[in-house]
Amino acid sequence: MSEVRGSNSFRDELASLLGDPGIRYAAADPIGISTPSFGGRTGESPNLEQSESFKDQVKGFAIAWGEILLDLGRGCKDIVQQSFLTEDSYIVRKLHKPCAKASAKLRYLNEFLPEDRDPAHAWPVILFVFILALIAISINTKHDSLVRQVKRVQMHPPSASHVLLPDGRRLAYQEQGVPAKTTRISLIAPHSFLSSRLAGMPGIKMSLLEDFGIRLITYDLPGFGESDPHPSRNLNSSALDILSLANAIGIADKFWVLGHSSGAMHAWAALRYIPDKVAGAAMVAPIINPYEPGMTKEEMKRTWEPWVLRRKTMYFLARRFPKFLSSYYRRSFLSGKHDRIDNWMSFSLGKRDEILIEEPKVEEHLQRDVEESIRQGSTKPFIEEAVLQVSKWGFSVADLQVQKKCQQRGILTWLMSIYSDSECELTGFLGQIHIWQGMDDQIIPPSVTDYISRVLPGAYVHKLPNEGHFSYLYFCDECHRQIFTTLFGSPQGPVSEEDVTPAPLERNSEDLSSANADSPAE
């Protein structure tokens, strides 16, 4: 009992020191611990609070964090204002005058604000809303592009005819028009960049070819379509390929060449290296070397100015760093998707061309032509073609001008040549050259044709108002008839078989080799 009393006296003394809470415990009574109750009972106290829900906890947590971030932002704002935006700070001293000038110039915009709005608060809000709108538009555009189904490139079964060239390569070609035995006019058309033998004259009607007795031959350049690649091709070898093709398919007489866009580069080569086999040339928006040394500074400026930056960059890379083109080509038209191919082809088109390529038949033709062009999946022929466009051709377009060249062996010979032309001969291309140029062409600007007409005054230039790069040649029946009428006059139909002397359709390799040996070399 004494222990109990001692214990009580100690508890009383401790309570007196801490303050009497008014609660007394019996010495012998144990402390009771109540167990939790999970069911509602009739005798339960109404003052017990219910446990807080998860939603309320999240809400309270978000409010707390919001208050913390708000205080943090205010603190950062105060630090910035006190440290960087004072009148003697470096930033204010450097930006005060430019900002004051800009503010003075843009102050008239405040007139568009309501009178009760402070410009210092209104313009940041407007800028913020503008940025949000741009982000929303960007997201919607990306979403639409993801939804739109992208057409993939298809590989079609081989469909070309082939000839074996003297060096063992196969050259793929396609014929349209009248048969070889009744041909009145033979027309060979090399294709342009990112194209194939399927190009030629897109949409040409068989009836029109028959009216004029035309045999139209198109072929794949080396490495394009179904043609074998060339180990080291140049424009001289390109002209010899045309000559070998003509001999192999039985064209004994002279033939015409048709060049569109960069395909004209190979037509120019035929006029330069095999002029005796070419009767004439038809050029539609023809290309020349953009670094042509004979161009004046003004002509060079007018040629380069209409081109977009990407076009200029491609020419620069092809001239200086052609290896960098490989990865770019693989990510664009060799990606296997038609949307990237379409972007490549339409980066610099005029209004007429933009409307034209939206037509289903034109779009289908372009896609099929491109699919055939990239059949082999190699970047090498495309890099070669791009390098050929901007490197030294081995000749200038001005070299095709008809000139009188006399052999001057001495003063006496020179005096005799004044009164006689026996020692003189004509050089250059003696046949006709017709050029059709769209004045709304953004790919080959009209300034190129102006330069050609200056250095080749004998060429016939047909300027086409409101026409683009493709619109005069692609799926235009009247345009095709105008071209043939200009070149060949009134249609006379095919040659009668009774009037044709039999000619071999093919020549052996010895004939081809001798023909190549007789052709001019670079």
mmCIF file of all heavy atoms in Angstrom, residues 61-96:
data_model
loop_
_atom_site.group_PDB
_atom_site.id
_atom_site.type_symbol
_atom_site.label_atom_id
_atom_site.label_comp_id
_atom_site.label_asym_id
_atom_site.label_seq_id
_atom_site.Cartn_x
_atom_site.Cartn_y
_atom_site.Cartn_z
ATOM 1 N N PHE A 61 -4.280 18.003 -51.839
ATOM 2 C CA PHE A 61 -2.875 17.941 -52.262
ATOM 3 C C PHE A 61 -2.623 18.897 -53.426
ATOM 4 O O PHE A 61 -1.610 19.610 -53.457
ATOM 5 C CB PHE A 61 -2.552 16.503 -52.671
ATOM 6 C CG PHE A 61 -1.129 16.300 -53.111
ATOM 7 C CD1 PHE A 61 -0.102 16.172 -52.183
ATOM 8 C CD2 PHE A 61 -0.808 16.249 -54.460
ATOM 9 C CE1 PHE A 61 1.204 15.982 -52.598
ATOM 10 C CE2 PHE A 61 0.489 16.072 -54.875
ATOM 11 C CZ PHE A 61 1.507 15.931 -53.939
ATOM 12 N N ALA A 62 -3.544 18.955 -54.407
ATOM 13 C CA ALA A 62 -3.379 19.842 -55.551
ATOM 14 C C ALA A 62 -3.425 21.310 -55.122
ATOM 15 O O ALA A 62 -2.657 22.143 -55.615
ATOM 16 C CB ALA A 62 -4.458 19.553 -56.590
ATOM 17 N N ILE A 63 -4.338 21.631 -54.203
ATOM 18 C CA ILE A 63 -4.427 23.014 -53.728
ATOM 19 C C ILE A 63 -3.141 23.416 -53.017
ATOM 20 O O ILE A 63 -2.616 24.526 -53.205
ATOM 21 C CB ILE A 63 -5.648 23.170 -52.803
ATOM 22 C CG1 ILE A 63 -6.944 22.989 -53.621
ATOM 23 C CG2 ILE A 63 -5.631 24.527 -52.117
ATOM 24 C CD1 ILE A 63 -8.190 22.986 -52.759
ATOM 25 N N ALA A 64 -2.613 22.497 -52.215
ATOM 26 C CA ALA A 64 -1.376 22.795 -51.490
ATOM 27 C C ALA A 64 -0.217 23.039 -52.455
ATOM 28 O O ALA A 64 0.549 23.989 -52.307
ATOM 29 C CB ALA A 64 -1.046 21.655 -50.528
ATOM 30 N N TRP A 65 -0.114 22.160 -53.464
ATOM 31 C CA TRP A 65 0.960 22.336 -54.442
ATOM 32 C C TRP A 65 0.770 23.605 -55.259
ATOM 33 O O TRP A 65 1.726 24.280 -55.633
ATOM 34 C CB TRP A 65 1.032 21.127 -55.366
ATOM 35 C CG TRP A 65 2.004 20.094 -54.893
ATOM 36 C CD1 TRP A 65 1.743 18.915 -54.288
ATOM 37 C CD2 TRP A 65 3.429 20.192 -54.975
ATOM 38 N NE1 TRP A 65 2.897 18.254 -53.986
ATOM 39 C CE2 TRP A 65 3.956 19.014 -54.402
ATOM 40 C CE3 TRP A 65 4.298 21.154 -55.465
ATOM 41 C CZ2 TRP A 65 5.317 18.778 -54.298
ATOM 42 C CZ3 TRP A 65 5.656 20.919 -55.372
ATOM 43 C CH2 TRP A 65 6.171 19.738 -54.797
ATOM 44 N N GLY A 66 -0.478 23.928 -55.584
ATOM 45 C CA GLY A 66 -0.743 25.166 -56.298
ATOM 46 C C GLY A 66 -0.299 26.385 -55.510
ATOM 47 O O GLY A 66 0.285 27.324 -56.068
ATOM 48 N N GLU A 67 -0.579 26.373 -54.230
ATOM 49 C CA GLU A 67 -0.136 27.492 -53.390
ATOM 50 C C GLU A 67 1.381 27.580 -53.321
ATOM 51 O O GLU A 67 1.959 28.677 -53.355
ATOM 52 C CB GLU A 67 -0.732 27.333 -52.000
ATOM 53 C CG GLU A 67 -2.261 27.459 -51.965
ATOM 54 C CD GLU A 67 -2.824 27.188 -50.573
ATOM 55 O OE1 GLU A 67 -2.027 26.755 -49.709
ATOM 56 O OE2 GLU A 67 -4.026 27.405 -50.363
ATOM 57 N N ILE A 68 2.020 26.404 -53.259
ATOM 58 C CA ILE A 68 3.489 26.392 -53.208
ATOM 59 C C ILE A 68 4.068 26.956 -54.507
ATOM 60 O O ILE A 68 4.989 27.782 -54.503
ATOM 61 C CB ILE A 68 4.000 24.965 -52.958
ATOM 62 C CG1 ILE A 68 3.599 24.491 -51.549
ATOM 63 C CG2 ILE A 68 5.511 24.887 -53.132
ATOM 64 C CD1 ILE A 68 3.936 23.045 -51.275
ATOM 65 N N LEU A 69 3.540 26.498 -55.676
ATOM 66 C CA LEU A 69 4.046 26.982 -56.954
ATOM 67 C C LEU A 69 3.759 28.465 -57.141
ATOM 68 O O LEU A 69 4.569 29.193 -57.731
ATOM 69 C CB LEU A 69 3.410 26.176 -58.096
ATOM 70 C CG LEU A 69 3.807 24.699 -58.185
ATOM 71 C CD1 LEU A 69 3.034 24.006 -59.307
ATOM 72 C CD2 LEU A 69 5.302 24.550 -58.404
ATOM 73 N N LEU A 70 2.610 28.919 -56.646
ATOM 74 C CA LEU A 70 2.296 30.335 -56.745
ATOM 75 C C LEU A 70 3.276 31.172 -55.944
ATOM 76 O O LEU A 70 3.771 32.208 -56.415
ATOM 77 C CB LEU A 70 0.853 30.575 -56.273
ATOM 78 C CG LEU A 70 0.338 32.010 -56.412
ATOM 79 C CD1 LEU A 70 0.356 32.437 -57.873
ATOM 80 C CD2 LEU A 70 -1.069 32.125 -55.841
ATOM 81 N N ASP A 71 3.570 30.708 -54.740
ATOM 82 C CA ASP A 71 4.562 31.422 -53.921
ATOM 83 C C ASP A 71 5.944 31.379 -54.574
ATOM 84 O O ASP A 71 6.692 32.367 -54.542
ATOM 85 C CB ASP A 71 4.609 30.806 -52.521
ATOM 86 C CG ASP A 71 3.321 31.051 -51.751
ATOM 87 O OD1 ASP A 71 2.601 32.004 -52.120
ATOM 88 O OD2 ASP A 71 3.015 30.297 -50.804
ATOM 89 N N LEU A 72 6.269 30.199 -55.184
ATOM 90 C CA LEU A 72 7.565 30.087 -55.851
ATOM 91 C C LEU A 72 7.655 31.057 -57.029
ATOM 92 O O LEU A 72 8.680 31.710 -57.248
ATOM 93 C CB LEU A 72 7.776 28.648 -56.329
ATOM 94 C CG LEU A 72 9.088 28.370 -57.079
ATOM 95 C CD1 LEU A 72 10.285 28.638 -56.170
ATOM 96 C CD2 LEU A 72 9.125 26.928 -57.581
ATOM 97 N N GLY A 73 6.572 31.148 -57.819
ATOM 98 C CA GLY A 73 6.571 32.072 -58.942
ATOM 99 C C GLY A 73 6.704 33.516 -58.494
ATOM 100 O O GLY A 73 7.426 34.303 -59.116
ATOM 101 N N ARG A 74 6.011 33.869 -57.429
ATOM 102 C CA ARG A 74 6.132 35.236 -56.918
ATOM 103 C C ARG A 74 7.549 35.512 -56.452
ATOM 104 O O ARG A 74 8.099 36.608 -56.668
ATOM 105 C CB ARG A 74 5.150 35.444 -55.783
ATOM 106 C CG ARG A 74 3.685 35.472 -56.248
ATOM 107 C CD ARG A 74 2.746 35.515 -55.069
ATOM 108 N NE ARG A 74 1.345 35.583 -55.506
ATOM 109 C CZ ARG A 74 0.302 35.470 -54.686
ATOM 110 N NH1 ARG A 74 0.513 35.292 -53.367
ATOM 111 N NH2 ARG A 74 -0.926 35.544 -55.163
ATOM 112 N N GLY A 75 8.143 34.495 -55.814
ATOM 113 C CA GLY A 75 9.518 34.685 -55.352
ATOM 114 C C GLY A 75 10.489 34.855 -56.508
ATOM 115 O O GLY A 75 11.362 35.721 -56.489
ATOM 116 N N CYS A 76 10.306 34.029 -57.571
ATOM 117 C CA CYS A 76 11.182 34.163 -58.741
ATOM 118 C C CYS A 76 10.984 35.514 -59.424
ATOM 119 O O CYS A 76 11.939 36.133 -59.887
ATOM 120 C CB CYS A 76 10.909 33.021 -59.726
ATOM 121 S SG CYS A 76 11.363 31.380 -59.120
ATOM 122 N N LYS A 77 9.721 35.953 -59.459
ATOM 123 C CA LYS A 77 9.443 37.242 -60.066
ATOM 124 C C LYS A 77 10.142 38.362 -59.300
ATOM 125 O O LYS A 77 10.753 39.270 -59.896
ATOM 126 C CB LYS A 77 7.941 37.466 -60.102
ATOM 127 C CG LYS A 77 7.540 38.811 -60.680
ATOM 128 C CD LYS A 77 6.034 38.977 -60.632
ATOM 129 C CE LYS A 77 5.639 40.362 -61.160
ATOM 130 N NZ LYS A 77 4.165 40.572 -61.098
ATOM 131 N N ASP A 78 10.080 38.293 -57.967
ATOM 132 C CA ASP A 78 10.740 39.315 -57.154
ATOM 133 C C ASP A 78 12.246 39.288 -57.358
ATOM 134 O O ASP A 78 12.894 40.339 -57.439
ATOM 135 C CB ASP A 78 10.394 39.110 -55.676
ATOM 136 C CG ASP A 78 8.905 39.343 -55.398
ATOM 137 O OD1 ASP A 78 8.271 40.032 -56.222
ATOM 138 O OD2 ASP A 78 8.394 38.823 -54.390
ATOM 139 N N ILE A 79 12.809 38.064 -57.473
ATOM 140 C CA ILE A 79 14.254 37.955 -57.664
ATOM 141 C C ILE A 79 14.663 38.566 -58.999
ATOM 142 O O ILE A 79 15.658 39.296 -59.095
ATOM 143 C CB ILE A 79 14.696 36.473 -57.584
ATOM 144 C CG1 ILE A 79 14.487 35.946 -56.154
ATOM 145 C CG2 ILE A 79 16.151 36.316 -58.011
ATOM 146 C CD1 ILE A 79 14.767 34.475 -56.011
ATOM 147 N N VAL A 80 13.894 38.246 -60.054
ATOM 148 C CA VAL A 80 14.212 38.779 -61.378
ATOM 149 C C VAL A 80 14.098 40.298 -61.395
ATOM 150 O O VAL A 80 14.948 41.004 -61.933
ATOM 151 C CB VAL A 80 13.289 38.145 -62.431
ATOM 152 C CG1 VAL A 80 13.451 38.840 -63.777
ATOM 153 C CG2 VAL A 80 13.591 36.662 -62.578
ATOM 154 N N GLN A 81 13.025 40.809 -60.797
ATOM 155 C CA GLN A 81 12.844 42.256 -60.786
ATOM 156 C C GLN A 81 13.939 42.954 -59.997
ATOM 157 O O GLN A 81 14.435 44.017 -60.407
ATOM 158 C CB GLN A 81 11.477 42.598 -60.200
ATOM 159 C CG GLN A 81 10.305 42.243 -61.100
ATOM 160 C CD GLN A 81 8.975 42.587 -60.482
ATOM 161 O OE1 GLN A 81 8.894 42.828 -59.271
ATOM 162 N NE2 GLN A 81 7.920 42.610 -61.304
ATOM 163 N N GLN A 82 14.340 42.381 -58.883
ATOM 164 C CA GLN A 82 15.335 43.027 -58.035
ATOM 165 C C GLN A 82 16.756 42.854 -58.575
ATOM 166 O O GLN A 82 17.620 43.699 -58.315
ATOM 167 C CB GLN A 82 15.244 42.467 -56.620
ATOM 168 C CG GLN A 82 13.912 42.766 -55.929
ATOM 169 C CD GLN A 82 13.806 42.097 -54.568
ATOM 170 O OE1 GLN A 82 14.787 41.575 -54.056
ATOM 171 N NE2 GLN A 82 12.618 42.122 -53.987
ATOM 172 N N SER A 83 17.006 41.744 -59.324
ATOM 173 C CA SER A 83 18.370 41.447 -59.755
ATOM 174 C C SER A 83 18.652 41.885 -61.190
ATOM 175 O O SER A 83 19.748 42.344 -61.505
ATOM 176 C CB SER A 83 18.648 39.936 -59.630
ATOM 177 O OG SER A 83 18.453 39.517 -58.294
ATOM 178 N N PHE A 84 17.654 41.725 -62.092
ATOM 179 C CA PHE A 84 17.924 41.933 -63.519
ATOM 180 C C PHE A 84 17.161 43.103 -64.126
ATOM 181 O O PHE A 84 17.558 43.612 -65.171
ATOM 182 C CB PHE A 84 17.570 40.650 -64.309
ATOM 183 C CG PHE A 84 18.343 39.451 -63.875
ATOM 184 C CD1 PHE A 84 17.764 38.501 -63.051
ATOM 185 C CD2 PHE A 84 19.660 39.268 -64.274
ATOM 186 C CE1 PHE A 84 18.465 37.382 -62.654
ATOM 187 C CE2 PHE A 84 20.370 38.148 -63.880
ATOM 188 C CZ PHE A 84 19.780 37.204 -63.053
ATOM 189 N N LEU A 85 16.058 43.497 -63.547
ATOM 190 C CA LEU A 85 15.222 44.520 -64.156
ATOM 191 C C LEU A 85 15.334 45.870 -63.478
ATOM 192 O O LEU A 85 14.474 46.726 -63.650
ATOM 193 C CB LEU A 85 13.756 44.056 -64.158
ATOM 194 C CG LEU A 85 13.472 42.750 -64.912
ATOM 195 C CD1 LEU A 85 12.001 42.435 -64.885
ATOM 196 C CD2 LEU A 85 13.979 42.832 -66.348
ATOM 197 N N THR A 86 16.353 46.060 -62.720
ATOM 198 C CA THR A 86 16.591 47.379 -62.141
ATOM 199 C C THR A 86 17.203 48.297 -63.195
ATOM 200 O O THR A 86 17.722 47.842 -64.218
ATOM 201 C CB THR A 86 17.536 47.266 -60.925
ATOM 202 O OG1 THR A 86 18.759 46.650 -61.350
ATOM 203 C CG2 THR A 86 16.886 46.421 -59.837
ATOM 204 N N GLU A 87 17.153 49.562 -62.952
ATOM 205 C CA GLU A 87 17.610 50.527 -63.951
ATOM 206 C C GLU A 87 19.105 50.445 -64.223
ATOM 207 O O GLU A 87 19.553 50.781 -65.317
ATOM 208 C CB GLU A 87 17.258 51.942 -63.494
ATOM 209 C CG GLU A 87 15.761 52.207 -63.412
ATOM 210 C CD GLU A 87 15.472 53.632 -62.996
ATOM 211 O OE1 GLU A 87 16.455 54.365 -62.728
ATOM 212 O OE2 GLU A 87 14.284 54.018 -62.953
ATOM 213 N N ASP A 88 19.874 49.997 -63.266
ATOM 214 C CA ASP A 88 21.320 49.927 -63.457
ATOM 215 C C ASP A 88 21.805 48.534 -63.842
ATOM 216 O O ASP A 88 23.007 48.283 -63.889
ATOM 217 C CB ASP A 88 22.040 50.371 -62.173
ATOM 218 C CG ASP A 88 21.616 49.509 -60.981
ATOM 219 O OD1 ASP A 88 20.578 48.818 -61.092
ATOM 220 O OD2 ASP A 88 22.321 49.546 -59.952
ATOM 221 N N SER A 89 20.882 47.594 -64.136
ATOM 222 C CA SER A 89 21.306 46.246 -64.505
ATOM 223 C C SER A 89 21.797 46.215 -65.947
ATOM 224 O O SER A 89 21.459 47.082 -66.770
ATOM 225 C CB SER A 89 20.152 45.250 -64.339
ATOM 226 O OG SER A 89 19.120 45.543 -65.249
ATOM 227 N N TYR A 90 22.589 45.206 -66.286
ATOM 228 C CA TYR A 90 23.184 45.085 -67.619
ATOM 229 C C TYR A 90 22.117 44.866 -68.688
ATOM 230 O O TYR A 90 22.166 45.454 -69.770
ATOM 231 C CB TYR A 90 24.177 43.911 -67.631
ATOM 232 C CG TYR A 90 24.791 43.638 -68.974
ATOM 233 C CD1 TYR A 90 25.843 44.416 -69.449
ATOM 234 C CD2 TYR A 90 24.297 42.614 -69.784
ATOM 235 C CE1 TYR A 90 26.408 44.179 -70.691
ATOM 236 C CE2 TYR A 90 24.857 42.363 -71.025
ATOM 237 C CZ TYR A 90 25.911 43.144 -71.468
ATOM 238 O OH TYR A 90 26.456 42.890 -72.698
ATOM 239 N N ILE A 91 21.135 44.023 -68.384
ATOM 240 C CA ILE A 91 20.091 43.704 -69.363
ATOM 241 C C ILE A 91 19.266 44.936 -69.695
ATOM 242 O O ILE A 91 18.971 45.216 -70.866
ATOM 243 C CB ILE A 91 19.197 42.570 -68.831
ATOM 244 C CG1 ILE A 91 20.023 41.291 -68.655
ATOM 245 C CG2 ILE A 91 18.011 42.332 -69.750
ATOM 246 C CD1 ILE A 91 19.243 40.136 -68.074
ATOM 247 N N VAL A 92 18.884 45.698 -68.663
ATOM 248 C CA VAL A 92 18.069 46.884 -68.899
ATOM 249 C C VAL A 92 18.846 47.927 -69.680
ATOM 250 O O VAL A 92 18.312 48.584 -70.586
ATOM 251 C CB VAL A 92 17.565 47.455 -67.551
ATOM 252 C CG1 VAL A 92 16.886 48.803 -67.764
ATOM 253 C CG2 VAL A 92 16.609 46.481 -66.901
ATOM 254 N N ARG A 93 20.117 48.075 -69.359
ATOM 255 C CA ARG A 93 20.922 49.072 -70.059
ATOM 256 C C ARG A 93 21.100 48.721 -71.543
ATOM 257 O O ARG A 93 21.159 49.585 -72.395
ATOM 258 C CB ARG A 93 22.297 49.205 -69.394
ATOM 259 C CG ARG A 93 22.243 50.009 -68.089
ATOM 260 C CD ARG A 93 23.617 50.310 -67.537
ATOM 261 N NE ARG A 93 24.216 49.166 -66.869
ATOM 262 C CZ ARG A 93 25.204 48.439 -67.357
ATOM 263 N NH1 ARG A 93 25.718 48.742 -68.537
ATOM 264 N NH2 ARG A 93 25.693 47.411 -66.693
ATOM 265 N N LYS A 94 21.169 47.419 -71.868
ATOM 266 C CA LYS A 94 21.363 47.001 -73.247
ATOM 267 C C LYS A 94 20.058 46.976 -74.049
ATOM 268 O O LYS A 94 20.054 47.258 -75.247
ATOM 269 C CB LYS A 94 22.020 45.603 -73.282
ATOM 270 C CG LYS A 94 23.483 45.593 -72.839
ATOM 271 C CD LYS A 94 24.335 46.383 -73.819
ATOM 272 C CE LYS A 94 25.818 46.315 -73.430
ATOM 273 N NZ LYS A 94 26.665 47.095 -74.373
ATOM 274 N N LEU A 95 18.968 46.603 -73.412
ATOM 275 C CA LEU A 95 17.714 46.417 -74.130
ATOM 276 C C LEU A 95 16.751 47.580 -73.999
ATOM 277 O O LEU A 95 15.697 47.572 -74.642
ATOM 278 C CB LEU A 95 17.018 45.140 -73.636
ATOM 279 C CG LEU A 95 17.777 43.821 -73.839
ATOM 280 C CD1 LEU A 95 16.958 42.661 -73.301
ATOM 281 C CD2 LEU A 95 18.113 43.597 -75.310
ATOM 282 N N HIS A 96 17.086 48.558 -73.187
ATOM 283 C CA HIS A 96 16.140 49.657 -72.957
ATOM 284 C C HIS A 96 15.882 50.451 -74.242
ATOM 285 O O HIS A 96 14.723 50.672 -74.622
ATOM 286 C CB HIS A 96 16.663 50.583 -71.859
ATOM 287 C CG HIS A 96 15.768 51.769 -71.633
ATOM 288 N ND1 HIS A 96 14.519 51.657 -71.085
ATOM 289 C CD2 HIS A 96 15.958 53.103 -71.915
ATOM 290 C CE1 HIS A 96 13.957 52.846 -71.014
ATOM 291 N NE2 HIS A 96 14.803 53.752 -71.513
#
